[in-house]
């Protein structure tokens, strides 16, 4: 490519533009909040050519530049995603996320039911070695300091509803924001998120170490994790 060539303009279809604008939950002059659909990546990588970052040019609403990402959700997670409309807003919101001045609530449908109705999960996380898709391994809190590259991770949870012992609807609040934190933590306590084959396996049975992540039928075809809400102090107002 020529050294001074302008970045290639992404051409969006009418359907793309409509989908993105329909997903807007809140908008002001500084930021936009989306209800991200499940199955749509937040940004490029791992062969992703269609993602929120690329499609966000549908959300200029009169501005010269498209809004910028300040955090991310896994591709298969739906729900609240915050974008900044200006560079100044992006800097302030990114700082708020990094200093944990935001509070997020997620909803999850899990296989099995936690032993305690509410509690805190404190397993550390370390990236699995070797080839293959990115996956995190849980480390007992006592072993975090002696495990190379392990990071502390904390998740609060509460059971909202139980379906016998087969499944439960949980509310989750990640105190830290590690990669795949909620998915790995829930699988580690024997209650993987329904449809999460990476952390819960493909089975439906309980072999004494927690359920497999599948309930059977269409419900198991997608991961049931939803970013329900996010609380933060507006950086300008």
């Amino acid at each position: 490519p020529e050294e001074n060539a302008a970045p290639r303009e992404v051409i969006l279809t009418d359907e793309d533009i409509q989908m993105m604008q329909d997903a807007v939950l809140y908008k002001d002059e500084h930021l936009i909040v989306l209800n991200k659909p499940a199955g749509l990546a937040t940004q490029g990588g791992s062969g992703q050519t269609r993602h929120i970052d690329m499609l966000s040019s549908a959300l200029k609403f009169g501005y010269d530049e498209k809004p910028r990402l300040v955090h991310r959700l896994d591709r298969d997670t739906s729900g609240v995603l915050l974008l900044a409309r200006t560079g100044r807003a992006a800097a302030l919101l990114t700082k708020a996320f990094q200093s944990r001045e935001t509070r997020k609530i997620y909803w999850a449908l899990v296989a099995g039911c936690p032993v305690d109705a509410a509690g805190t999960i404190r397993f550390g996380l370390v990236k699995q070695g070797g080839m293959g898709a990115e996956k995190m391994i849980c480390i007992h809190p006592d072993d975090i300091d002696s495990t190379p590259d392990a990071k502390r991770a904390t998740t609060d949870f509460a059971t909202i509803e139980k379906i016998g012992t087969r499944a439960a609807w949980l509310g989750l609040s990640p105190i830290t924001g590690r990669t795949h934190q909620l998915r790995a933590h829930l699988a580690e306590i024997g209650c993987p998120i329904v449809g999460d084959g990476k952390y819960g396996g493909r089975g439906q049975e309980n072999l004494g170490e927690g359920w497999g992540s599948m309930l059977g039928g269409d419900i198991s075809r997608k991961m049931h994790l939803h970013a329900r809400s996010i609380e933060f102090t507006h950086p300008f107002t």
Side-chain angles (χ1 to χ4, degrees):
E2 294 178 27
E3 196 172 317
N4 297 318
R8 189 163 55 89
E9 181 71 20
V10 175
I11 306 300
L12 301 186
T13 66
D14 290 343
E15 289 79 9
D16 284 335
I17 294 169
Q18 190 67 51
M19 183 269 293
M20 289 294 285
Q21 295 187 356
D22 285 349
V24 173
L25 296 171
Y26 174 84
K27 172 171 68 75
D28 65 21
E29 61 189 294
H30 306 289
L31 55 91
I32 290 174
V33 184
L34 294 183
N35 181 15
K36 184 188 87 65
L40 185 61
T42 307
Q43 58 195 129
S46 307
Q48 299 296 328
T49 56
R50 190 170 181 273
H51 46 79
I52 294 291
D53 193 32
M54 180 265 282
L55 296 168
S56 65
S57 55
L59 303 176
K60 291 180 179 177
F61 297 114
Y63 281 33
D64 292 334
E65 295 186 1
K66 67 179 185 177
R68 310 165 192 213
L69 296 168
V70 293
H71 69 122
R72 60 187 290 275
L73 295 174
D74 286 353
R75 184 185 68 185
D76 294 324
T77 303
S78 59
V80 175
L81 185 69
L82 195 57
L83 293 91
R85 299 192 70 189
T86 65
R88 180 75 178 134
L92 292 170
L93 288 168
T94 298
K95 184 179 177 185
F97 277 98
Q98 290 173 342
S99 54
R100 300 183 193 171
E101 295 168 12
T102 61
R103 174 172 164 79
K104 301 177 195 171
I105 301 293
Y106 287 76
W107 280 350
L109 179 65
V110 301
C113 300
V115 174
D116 298 313
T120 301
I121 307 168
R122 293 190 171 88
F123 287 101
L125 295 169
V126 66
K127 212 174 268 189
Q128 180 178 357
M131 301 292 289
E134 184 178 59
K135 186 174 181 180
M136 308 304 286
I137 305 294
C138 283
I139 306 294
H140 190 279
D142 293 345
D143 300 327
I144 295 171
D145 291 339
S146 60
T147 303
D149 301 322
K151 295 180 178 177
R152 296 193 176 274
T154 306
T155 301
D156 289 338
F157 73 90
T159 303
I160 301 169
E161 193 93 39
K162 291 198 287 190
I163 307 165
T165 59
R166 188 66 186 89
W169 172 23
L170 304 183
L172 309 165
S173 180
I175 308 304
T176 52
R178 309 298 184 199
T179 300
H180 295 179
Q181 175 178 319
L182 300 179
R183 298 166 64 183
H185 270 178
L186 290 170
E188 188 67 20
I189 66 168
C191 299
I193 297 171
V194 171
D196 186 1
K198 175 175 281 192
Y199 286 94
R202 298 288 174 186
Q204 294 187 41
E205 70 279 16
N206 183 347
L207 299 176
E209 297 180 354
W211 292 92
S213 64
M214 304 301 163
L215 296 184
D218 286 344
I219 198 170
S220 296
R221 296 184 194 280
K222 75 172 203 171
M223 188 171 70
H224 284 63
L225 179 62
H226 178 69
R228 178 66 179 88
S229 68
I230 185 166
E231 293 178 33
F232 58 97
T233 300
H234 195 290
F236 296 96
T237 66

